[in-house]
Structure formats: structure tokens, C-alpha cells
Amino acid sequence: MAQKKAHEVDAWLARPTGATIVLFYGPDRGLVAERARAFAEKTGLPLDDPFSVVRLDGAEIEREQGRLLDEARTVPMFSERRLLWVRNAAGQKSLAEDVKALCAEPPRDAIVLIEAGDLKKGAALRTVVEASVGAMALPCYADEARGIDAIIDDEMQKAGMSLTLEARQALRRNLGGDRLASRGEIQKLVLYAQGQREIGLDDVKASIGDVSGLSFDDAVDAVLEGRIDTFDVVFTRQVLSGSQPFLVLAAAMRQFQALHLMRGAMEAGGRNAAAVVAGARPPVFFSRRKTVETALERWHTEALARALARLQDAVLQTRKRPDLSTAIARQALLGIAVESARLAQRNRT
């Protein structure tokens, strides 16, 4: 069976075998994205080169049956091989069929990397990959205590700082659930305590004691609704209050990932937005239901995929250039808000 247990994934990722098809899946979308990025870097291909790396969306493959097969069998012109990077995979039938064909006849000039959501046991895509000797299925679940400590240690080592025992215990209670969000919280703490060698309990309380997912809803909702002026005001206020721009990006990414899944349920089951939102798990807060319903009606699958790609790229850019993180986050979110306004205008005409 070509699969690893959750606790074995990091060890495999440190020394990946010769699998030509690699599937990362699970409910922790931040961890899926982080590990997929790490694997992509291990290929040695220049990830910013469009001739070496082809980025695809699960919905795009579903719509264009055979697209993944065509890309996998295309002979590369400017490199020895190419990376086919598929994001937002779920229960797409065409994707599972293409991957099955590639498992039966592995591509010679391509590596297929797939980021998927929480694929249950028996899901077509997961079953196909697990049954193939030339592929690898890697689960990504929310960080437990050991995983959270590893993230904390990693970020502390990068910053050249240490934590008191009380500070670590308090910090750990605020992390988990999403790998990217957890890293964002720690990076915010490091920024707050800049210049110190050791971070104490008071630093943790001051830095993240009042941070929650709902604290960024005003900014995210303004982006969803295309209220550009409102977003700019709210975003500026949050930055001035000390919030790290990355956290707004992470909140927006979680919302758009949820919308992508709900929109897929709408299209697959022929249900309306209100029904999908009412049955969402985790549930949508009552005060935000109308906003989410309107967004589902406005944002089609392709637009949601574009927004997610833009957010993921912005997150990576803020890591490379932390000195420009505010400008990078603002530009990405404003771009999405502008697209939302355009979609609303188009729906009215």
C-alpha cells in the first residue's frame, strides 16, 4: 500500500522516495499546503518557472476531462521534467480517473503533486493513490501536542529566541487546527518580542491573548462583498493595532477554502446557497449567514480557485519579504475585493 500514517509523513518528506504521484490530504489545509510546498522544493525545479511547474485546480481538471493526462504526457522543452501541481482537489471524478490512468502508466517526464481536502477512506482519489506502488498518499491532520511543540521550536530557532515553560504552555493552548494559522500566531509573538532573548508569559498574553478567528471577520467580509473602501479602513485599523497582516490572509484563506467546498456541494447536489450554508460543518454563525450565502451565489468555482491561488502566493511572499508584508497582504486582498465587486456587477446585468 502506497501510504503513510500521519506520524510518518514528516520522516518520509525529509527523504521522499521516487514516487511520481504524491497526494497530500486532510482537514488541516494549512498543513497540506505547507507540506506540498516542502515536497515541491525537494524536486529541485524552479517553482517560479511556468515552463517547469504547471499549476492546476481540481475544478479545472473536472471541467476539462483528460487535462491532467495531456499535461503529464507532454514532453518538457526547457527542463528534464515538469511538476504538475494540483490544488483544491476533492471528489472530482475526472481527476480520480486521470490519476488512475497515470498510476497504471506512470509519467516519465513529470511529477504529479496533489493538494486535497479531507478525503474519507474509500474516496476515489485516495483509493487510487493508496493502491498504486508508484504513488504516495500522505494524511495531514490537525497538530497535536508533539506537532505544536515542533512548530514552536522551529520558529523559536529561526528567531534565535527561547520560551519560558509558562509561556510555552500558554502559547500551546492557542495553537492547532491549521498549520499556517499556528505559524502566523508564533511569528506574531516573535515580532512582538523582538529584541528579547527569552519570551515570557506576559508576552504571550499581550500578543495573542485576544486573537480569535472572528477578529478578522470584518475585513474578510468586506473582501467577500467587494466593499473596497470598508476593507481598506478595517485592514488599516487592524495593522495599526498590532495585528500581523499574515493573520488576515490566513483568515481569508480559511473562508475561501470553506466557500470552495460549499460551492462544490452546491454544484454537485443542485442545492441552493441557503441550504448549503444551513448544513455547513462547522456551522456558519447566524450573523454571517447572509454574507456567506451572497458570496456563494456571486463567486463561481473558477473565481474561488483564483482567489485561493492569490492568497497562497501572498502568504509565501510575506514570508520571503516580511518587511513588505503589509503591502503584500493589502494588495492581494484588495485585488480579491475588486474582483468581488466586478462579479456582483456582472450578476446584476
Side-chain angles (χ1 to χ4, degrees):
M1 300 291 283
Q3 59 179 311
K4 294 291 181 183
K5 297 184 183 300
H7 68 274
E8 299 173 329
V9 175
D10 286 330
W12 183 90
L13 195 54
R15 289 186 174 183
T17 58
T20 55
I21 300 171
V22 178
L23 167 67
F24 291 95
Y25 70 92
D28 189 338
R29 301 296 286 266
L31 182 56
V32 168
E34 182 174 289
R35 283 175 167 170
R37 178 80 184 184
F39 175 80
E41 291 173 348
K42 290 278 188 179
T43 65
L45 293 169
L47 302 187
D48 57 350
D49 180 6
F51 295 104
S52 300
V53 180
V54 179
R55 300 176 189 273
L56 301 168
D57 187 85
E60 184 181 356
I61 294 173
E62 181 69 12
R63 191 172 57 257
E64 301 176 32
Q65 191 168 3
R67 171 73 185 279
L68 183 60
L69 287 177
D70 292 340
E71 293 287 356
R73 291 167 180 166
T74 298
V75 178
M77 298 179 62
F78 302 102
S79 60
E80 293 184 0
R81 57 182 178 173
R82 297 194 304 165
L83 174 65
L84 309 182
W85 195 338
V86 181
R87 286 177 168 145
N88 302 313
Q92 295 95 347
K93 182 179 178 182
S94 293
L95 175 59
E97 290 175 350
D98 283 1
V99 171
K100 184 176 181 179
L102 291 174
C103 286
E105 188 178 345
R108 292 177 296 177
D109 304 314
I111 298 172
V112 180
L113 169 60
I114 305 171
E115 293 182 33
D118 191 12
L119 301 177
K120 303 300 182 185
K121 189 173 181 62
L125 178 60
R126 178 178 167 183
T127 300
V128 166
V129 174
E130 289 178 347
S132 173
V133 294
M136 180 61 67
L138 302 165
C140 301
Y141 296 112
D143 291 306
E144 297 179 353
R146 183 173 61 178
I148 291 172
D149 278 326
I151 300 171
I152 294 173
D153 291 340
D154 183 41
E155 293 297 332
M156 290 298 107
Q157 183 177 7
K158 290 178 185 176
M161 294 179 173
S162 62
L163 283 163
T164 66
L165 178 59
E166 295 83 359
R168 177 180 288 270
Q169 291 172 340
L171 179 60
R172 190 190 294 128
R173 287 194 294 269
N174 285 277
L175 303 179
D178 185 281
R179 175 67 68 89
L180 289 179
S182 294
R183 284 198 185 275
E185 294 285 351
I186 303 170
Q187 290 164 2
K188 178 184 175 185
L189 174 62
V190 167
L191 186 63
Y192 175 83
Q194 197 166 25
Q196 301 176 201
R197 295 292 299 174
E198 185 177 67
I199 297 174
L201 178 59
D202 290 341
D203 298 317
V204 174
K205 289 181 177 179
S207 175
I208 66 172
D210 61 348
V211 173
S212 68
L214 290 176
S215 62
F216 301 109
D217 275 352
D218 288 343
V220 175
D221 287 351
V223 170
L224 285 177
E225 296 171 354
R227 294 183 286 117
I228 299 169
D229 291 342
T230 301
F231 162 75
D232 202 37
V233 170
V234 174
F235 180 81
T236 301
R237 186 186 304 140
Q238 288 175 335
V239 170
L240 291 175
S241 69
S243 293
Q244 192 173 352
F246 167 85
L247 296 177
V248 186
L249 289 173
M253 188 177 297
R254 287 193 295 272
Q255 181 63 80
F256 274 88
Q257 286 170 343
L259 285 173
H260 195 273
L261 293 174
M262 287 189 280
R263 180 73 190 193
M266 280 178 61
E267 295 175 358
R271 300 157 64 192
N272 61 29
V276 171
V277 172
R281 294 293 181 273
V284 178
F285 284 95
F286 182 78
S287 61
R288 300 190 64 246
R289 283 193 178 185
K290 187 61 180 176
T291 297
V292 176
E293 289 172 12
T294 302
L296 279 174
E297 293 168 349
R298 178 181 302 179
W299 287 81
H300 52 79
T301 305
E302 291 179 12
L304 288 168
R306 286 197 301 270
L308 280 168
R310 177 176 286 185
L311 289 168
Q312 289 171 336
D313 182 64
V315 168
L316 293 173
Q317 292 303 320
T318 58
R319 292 179 177 177
K320 293 178 180 178
R321 293 298 305 272
D323 55 318
L324 298 176
S325 60
T326 299
I328 292 168
R330 186 192 301 274
Q331 182 178 16
L333 292 165
L334 273 176
I336 297 172
V338 169
E339 181 164 10
S340 180
R342 288 174 179 167
L343 290 171
Q345 182 65 31
R346 190 177 304 165
N347 290 342
R348 286 195 291 266
T349 58

